Amino acid sequence: MAAKHFGILGFPWDGGASLGRPGARYAPKEVREAFGWFKGRIQDEQVYHVESRKNYNVNADQILDYGDIDIVAYDEQQTIQNAYQSTKEIIEKDGFPFIIGGDHSISYPIIKALHDTCTGQVGIIHFDAHLDLVDENHLQGKYSQSSEIRRALELERVQPENIVQIGVRGFNYPWYRDYLKDIGIKQYTAYDVHKGDPEKIADETLERLSGCDKIYLTFDIDVMDPAFVPGTGADEPFGLLPFQCMVMLNKMYDKVDAFDIAEVNPTFDTHGITTAVASRIMFECFINKFGK
């Protein structure tokens, strides 16, 4: 069943930023304000999309803001449960959940809510500089910004072959080599995207997940090069270009069933650049899901 409204939910949490910079808790407020500029350009239920030279018919009443998840700062597990319940509420009301994080630990309870409200396989499209497959350890615990995809793999109907990671890069722990070889997650590194065709990568990703009942898309803003998004939890050089991301996302928006954007960190941003990118992605998602 197609979603009937665009359900915005803030997740102002950076308790999982054990190794990265805290500050992503401030993103929901900032991204909402920037999103308002785009929303304000809707006139007579239409908005003009400059790049496609097209007017979209849209109904701003389909945008419902559910506020922020109830954060329990001293209780990580209760916060996770609150996020799970709030997301389930949006889905059960026939909404499309768009979650504004927060560090990347926010994704797991949202993925779990999508998983628990369907009966088939759940695919995950994961845009990120990092792999986020770390298991529990003494430095980060079990539910950190480095482990949400590892936790998602523990769900019954999330299989590694139904996970596609895009934009991953840099250096990481040596155990990853054998783990990734054995587990079967599909990856397009940042190098693959730069050397390849972003449209083709998007098509291949959607084809790979075509047998899934639901598809979840999580977008860590640090998938882009830090030159374009300075307000992130960690800087990884040689990242994707905003244009490459736009091309891939525009093919994916109307195929996915829930979306989060993570690791926008206003405390490290410059003149709201990163917030502006995040809000543009958010509005593009709305237009592609509900515009005609």
Side-chain angles (χ1 to χ4, degrees):
M1 180 184 295
K4 295 179 181 177
H5 68 271
F6 189 75
I8 299 170
L9 185 62
F11 199 160
W13 173 258
D14 52 25
S18 49
L19 296 181
R21 304 166 179 149
R25 70 181 68 184
Y26 301 110
K29 177 180 180 293
E30 300 293 331
V31 173
R32 279 185 174 102
E33 289 181 1
F35 180 79
W37 284 95
F38 293 107
K39 186 178 175 182
R41 290 166 182 157
I42 299 173
Q43 294 182 340
D44 300 321
E45 296 191 350
Q46 286 194 327
V47 68
Y48 179 57
H49 185 243
V50 177
E51 286 93 336
S52 65
R53 298 182 174 86
K54 175 182 175 180
N55 273 355
Y56 279 86
N57 296 315
V58 294
N59 182 355
D61 290 339
Q62 288 183 292
I63 302 171
L64 299 183
D65 195 326
Y66 286 78
D68 287 344
I69 287 160
D70 184 17
I71 300 296
V72 186
Y74 58 85
D75 193 334
E76 177 186 61
Q77 286 303 301
Q78 187 59 57
T79 298
I80 289 172
Q81 183 62 24
N82 292 346
Y84 171 79
Q85 291 295 343
S86 295
T87 306
K88 278 189 70 179
E89 177 185 345
I90 296 174
I91 296 170
E92 289 166 355
K93 291 181 177 179
D94 297 328
F96 174 86
F98 191 102
I99 315 302
I100 312 169
D103 70 60
H104 216 159
S105 67
I106 63 121
S107 297
Y108 170 66
I110 317 301
I111 296 169
K112 186 175 189 302
L114 184 66
H115 172 275
D116 291 355
T117 51
C118 73
T119 57
Q121 295 292 315
V122 175
I124 299 173
I125 302 172
H126 176 209
F127 283 84
D128 204 328
H130 307 102
L131 307 176
D132 293 359
L133 289 162
V134 174
D135 205 350
E136 183 174 5
N137 63 61
H138 72 284
L139 286 176
Q140 296 180 281
K142 189 173 182 178
Y143 297 97
S144 76
Q145 63 185 173
S146 300
S147 63
E148 79 282 350
I149 302 300
R150 184 68 169 249
R151 299 284 78 80
L153 279 166
E154 295 170 351
L155 298 172
E156 180 184 2
R157 287 172 285 102
V158 174
Q159 306 302 323
E161 60 269 23
N162 291 330
I163 295 177
V164 179
Q165 296 184 314
I166 300 173
V168 290
R169 60 188 186 273
F171 293 90
N172 226 305
Y173 306 113
W175 59 262
Y176 265 127
R177 180 182 180 274
D178 291 337
Y179 178 79
L180 289 166
K181 185 178 179 180
D182 292 341
I183 200 168
I185 291 173
K186 175 66 177 176
Q187 291 182 330
Y188 294 96
T189 68
Y191 185 87
D192 294 331
V193 178
H194 286 308
K195 294 290 288 184
D197 179 349
E199 286 198 13
K200 182 180 179 183
I201 289 171
D203 288 338
E204 289 174 354
T205 296
L206 293 171
E207 175 60 29
R208 184 180 182 91
L209 304 184
S210 61
C212 294
D213 184 27
K214 300 290 182 181
I215 299 176
Y216 186 91
L217 197 154
T218 177
F219 192 93
D220 187 323
I221 203 75
D222 72 18
V223 73
M224 298 185 193
D225 193 90
F228 301 101
V229 286
T232 65
D235 296 327
E236 288 286 353
F238 308 116
L240 302 190
L241 306 178
F243 179 75
Q244 294 168 324
C245 293
M246 182 179 73
V247 167
M248 289 185 281
L249 288 173
N250 279 335
K251 281 187 164 271
M252 296 173 176
Y253 287 127
D254 67 347
K255 303 294 194 301
V256 302
D257 301 282
F259 195 115
D260 77 55
I261 191 159
E263 297 291 349
V264 175
N265 191 330
T267 65
F268 284 85
D269 206 3
T270 302
H271 305 302
I273 292 171
T274 310
T275 297
V277 172
S279 62
R280 169 66 186 262
I281 290 172
M282 185 172 168
F283 196 73
E284 291 268 7
C285 185
F286 168 65
I287 292 300
N288 277 271
K289 295 293 293 185
F290 295 95
K292 298 176 182 178

